[in-house]
Amino acid sequence: MSEPSILYEAREGVGIVTLNRPEVLNAFTPDMLDLLHDTLHRATDEGQRAILLTGAGRAFSAGQDLASIQDQYVDGGPDFVSLLREHFHPVLRAIRMLDVPIIAAVNGVAAGAGMSVALACDIRIAAENARFATAFTKIGLVPDAGMAHTLPRLVGFGRANWMLMQADPVDAATALSIGLVDRVVAADVFATEAFALARQFAAGPTRAYALTRQLLDSAATTSFDHLLDLEADVQAAAGATEDHRAAVAAFLAKQPPTFHGR
Ligand code: T3D
């Protein structure tokens, strides 16, 4: 029997989700995307307080599996609309709507929609040998899986435009310097450091993280005036959490806070 295309393990409050088709650099098939979607929900349903998303072997993901759709080109071409709407988009929406923080541990190359998935995550930690290739225009496609939204917001319009149109891969050091990733670590300690980072988020104020993401996403499409109204409501939700109250009490008692994710 073949290995599952997505591996899952729960450890110390972290759901570790591994893209697992290393022979094709973890390129996505529809079944794999559906399983990824279900596995993200499995982690939160089980009560994990952070998700660490990574790839097996030498890649994070090379995006859409181009070999698996090759035969469709003789017959009118792949059905891009259903591939995106039915398989990619549920994954991207799940990532942006999770109740817990999700950290992309980019262990190697991330290309096309594989890079898009990494960019949709809350935090990116990359191994020093990681590479980021938008790849879409190299095969005559436009950015998808949300990249036209996420990339300019991370690196600015001009740099995003260059990366999408010129499309040569960007190395990890450059990715760090332009804000595409949050941390870069040596390959030999990458797995340990990535897990430690995820565990740190798993021990944090879970609701505040999810509400922060919600506020940032809303801010991208709203006026400053409306954002001020929105932040009052979202802050009321954060302020009603047990974690907030306990953290203020801990601060006043000169103690470190302990968060329970409630
Ligand atoms: O329906 C739709 O298409 C719409 C959705 C589109 C979303 C997208 O993601 S479009 C972008 C798709 N991805 C790409 O175009 C990237 C293609 N891959 C590459 O450019 C390179 O493989 C990398 C830059 C990612 C890595 O290069 P390198 O030299 O490190 O590895 P390699 O030798 O090219 O790849 C290793 C193997 O993985 C190789 O197989 P082999 O020769 O050992 O049997 C290669 O064919 C396979 N592989 C890599 N990427 C894909 C792939 N197989 C299928 N699909 C891939 N995307």
Side-chain angles (χ1 to χ4, degrees), residues 243-259:
D243 280 344
H244 165 64
R245 284 156 203 237
V248 172
F251 174 78
L252 295 175
K254 302 195 183 303
Q255 299 288 324
T258 302
F259 296 108

Side-chain angles (χ1 to χ4, degrees), residues 134-201:
T134 61
F136 298 101
T137 56
K138 295 272 191 198
I139 55 167
L141 289 179
V142 300
D144 67 19
M147 197 188 286
H149 184 89
T150 52
L151 185 60
R153 294 184 72 212
L154 286 166
V155 302
F157 179 87
R159 180 78 73 154
N161 188 54
W162 174 256
M163 286 179 68
L164 289 167
M165 294 213 181
Q166 192 265 354
D168 278 351
V170 160
D171 64 23
T174 307
L176 183 64
S177 72
I178 63 177
L180 194 62
V181 300
D182 304 295
R183 282 188 63 193
V184 173
V185 296
D188 59 339
V189 292
F190 178 68
T192 310
E193 292 283 321
F195 180 70
L197 183 65
R199 203 177 42 185
Q200 190 183 311
F201 279 99

Side-chain angles (χ1 to χ4, degrees), residues 21-42:
R21 300 183 71 224
E23 67 285 359
V24 287
L25 308 187
N26 305 315
F28 293 121
T29 61
D31 284 352
M32 180 183 179
L33 289 161
D34 296 348
L35 186 54
L36 174 57
H37 173 269
D38 293 350
T39 307
L40 295 174
H41 285 296
R42 175 181 169 186

Side-chain angles (χ1 to χ4, degrees), residues 37-221:
H37 173 269
D38 293 350
T39 307
L40 295 174
H41 285 296
R42 175 181 169 186
T44 52
D45 289 350
E46 283 181 3
Q48 308 309 330
R49 287 174 56 198
I51 293 175
L52 187 64
L53 178 62
T54 193
R58 70 177 177 90
F60 180 77
S61 168
Q64 167 63 33
D65 187 320
L66 298 173
S68 72
I69 55 171
Q70 196 181 16
D71 56 349
Q72 296 172 30
Y73 285 95
V74 292
D75 190 21
D79 184 350
F80 293 111
V81 172
S82 42
L83 182 64
L84 287 169
R85 290 203 173 140
E86 290 169 24
H87 303 287
F88 276 104
H89 292 175
V91 169
L92 275 303
R93 287 201 169 95
I95 288 174
R96 292 312 295 169
M97 282 155 51
L98 284 169
D99 291 335
V100 303
I102 176 163
I103 295 105
V106 185
N107 51 304
V109 67
M115 177 169 162
S116 301
V117 165
L119 299 196
C121 293
D122 296 306
I123 303 288
R124 277 155 296 286
I125 180 170
E128 62 188 354
N129 57 303
R131 283 177 291 155
F132 295 83
T134 61
F136 298 101
T137 56
K138 295 272 191 198
I139 55 167
L141 289 179
V142 300
D144 67 19
M147 197 188 286
H149 184 89
T150 52
L151 185 60
R153 294 184 72 212
L154 286 166
V155 302
F157 179 87
R159 180 78 73 154
N161 188 54
W162 174 256
M163 286 179 68
L164 289 167
M165 294 213 181
Q166 192 265 354
D168 278 351
V170 160
D171 64 23
T174 307
L176 183 64
S177 72
I178 63 177
L180 194 62
V181 300
D182 304 295
R183 282 188 63 193
V184 173
V185 296
D188 59 339
V189 292
F190 178 68
T192 310
E193 292 283 321
F195 180 70
L197 183 65
R199 203 177 42 185
Q200 190 183 311
F201 279 99
T206 313
R207 287 291 296 144
Y209 294 140
L211 292 168
T212 297
R213 183 202 301 127
Q214 185 188 320
L215 207 49
L216 282 168
D217 282 351
S218 302
T221 55

